[in-house]
Amino acid sequence: MSGSLQVHREHPQTQTIDERFDFWHGGGGLWRIESDGQVLYIAAGDGASLVFIDGEMRRRSTVNSVVAQMGSVFNPFLLLGEQSVLSKISESLRVAGAIEPVELDGRSAWRVPFVSPQGDIQVELVFDEETGLLVRLHHPMGGVLIKVTALSVHDEIPRERFIWDGPVGDTALNLRGPRAATAERMAQLVALVEASKRPIEVLQAVSRAADHGEAISAVMKLLDTSETGAEVVLNAQIRRFSGREIQRMQHELAEVRDVFAEFPEE
């Protein structure tokens, strides 16, 4: 199947999120996810995959080794499977009313209201009738809204769709323990966000450096970051400092901090 996932969230105390992901899913681990024409994730079903990190595609050895950096509270992985939204909420919410047939984007679907045991959390989920795919999630109080459009079911998606023929970064993703990997990603994001606030100072520090080693040291000192943080700043493409990219990084940083806080001390 293929389609587009729209993610929109407005909250008076947090920044607005408005994103769109195009996805293709071929079963058996086959995935391709794009945003604005940029491939974010691609997997050929052999256990290995590529994810877009800091301006380049990098290798992942296993599906569960790290979380793909989509920059959003929702991504296409959460629409189906063991990690789907439905799986995550099935133990904490209960069906709160009649299941109703509806039509969404020209397709037959079923609308199901859910409520928490205390009655203080209410969400409405819509599932596509043919595929069972979650195609809409709405929080009546203005929380997160996700919607799948242009959903299509294919007899077969050409294998080439799930093959990456572009350049691949030399550095594989960190496959150490989850707490250490999360801590490193958090340090990288902190450095990127801080650099986005002081782009002129970063450029001046780098331009004064005689070589790469001096540039790393200069950025480390300027941003009070680690060598890993300085390296990711130097490798970042200019477009990473556009308004939308900064928003993505800030949101991902908040998510990573929440995840890190849940890990027990090693």
Side-chain angles (χ1 to χ4, degrees), residues 92-97 113-123:
S92 59
L93 300 180
R94 59 180 173 80
V95 176
F114 286 85
V115 66
S116 66
Q118 296 77 23
D120 56 345
I121 300 177
Q122 297 180 351
V123 294

Side-chain angles (χ1 to χ4, degrees), residues 15-17 242-252:
Q15 59 190 352
T16 296
I17 297 173
S242 65
R244 182 170 181 178
E245 288 295 319
I246 293 172
Q247 184 184 46
R248 284 177 183 272
M249 291 187 293
Q250 290 172 332
H251 184 74
E252 184 188 344

Side-chain angles (χ1 to χ4, degrees), residues 74-174:
F74 283 102
N75 61 60
F77 292 129
L78 296 177
L79 298 177
L80 70 168
E82 295 181 356
Q83 299 301 315
S84 69
V85 172
L86 183 61
S87 296
K88 292 177 183 295
I89 69 172
S90 60
E91 296 183 0
S92 59
L93 300 180
R94 59 180 173 80
V95 176
I99 300 174
E100 301 178 359
V102 294
E103 184 175 292
L104 185 65
D105 199 31
R107 296 180 61 87
S108 297
W110 295 95
R111 180 169 58 203
V112 187
F114 286 85
V115 66
S116 66
Q118 296 77 23
D120 56 345
I121 300 177
Q122 297 180 351
V123 294
E124 179 184 274
L125 277 64
V126 177
F127 299 93
D128 181 67
E129 183 176 52
E130 180 182 4
T131 65
L133 187 73
L134 173 64
V135 289
R136 190 175 187 268
L137 184 152
H138 179 240
H139 193 301
M141 299 302 293
V144 177
L145 169 67
I146 65 174
K147 182 179 179 181
V148 175
T149 59
L151 180 63
S152 298
V153 178
H154 309 271
D155 292 334
E156 182 180 5
I157 299 177
R159 188 78 179 189
E160 291 75 18
R161 175 69 68 178
F162 307 104
I163 296 176
W164 175 255
D165 57 2
V168 177
D170 294 332
T171 305
L173 292 180
N174 194 325

Side-chain angles (χ1 to χ4, degrees), residues 41-55:
Y41 180 85
I42 192 164
D46 56 2
S49 55
L50 296 170
V51 61
F52 186 73
I53 295 287
D54 300 326

Side-chain angles (χ1 to χ4, degrees), residues 15 18-21 35-36 40 69-72 189 239-240 242-255:
Q15 59 190 352
D18 191 5
E19 300 176 320
R20 176 169 174 162
F21 302 96
S35 179
D36 292 332
L40 300 180
Q69 308 299 328
M70 299 293 172
S72 176
L189 288 165
R239 72 178 186 84
R240 290 284 283 175
S242 65
R244 182 170 181 178
E245 288 295 319
I246 293 172
Q247 184 184 46
R248 284 177 183 272
M249 291 187 293
Q250 290 172 332
H251 184 74
E252 184 188 344
L253 177 57
E255 285 187 316

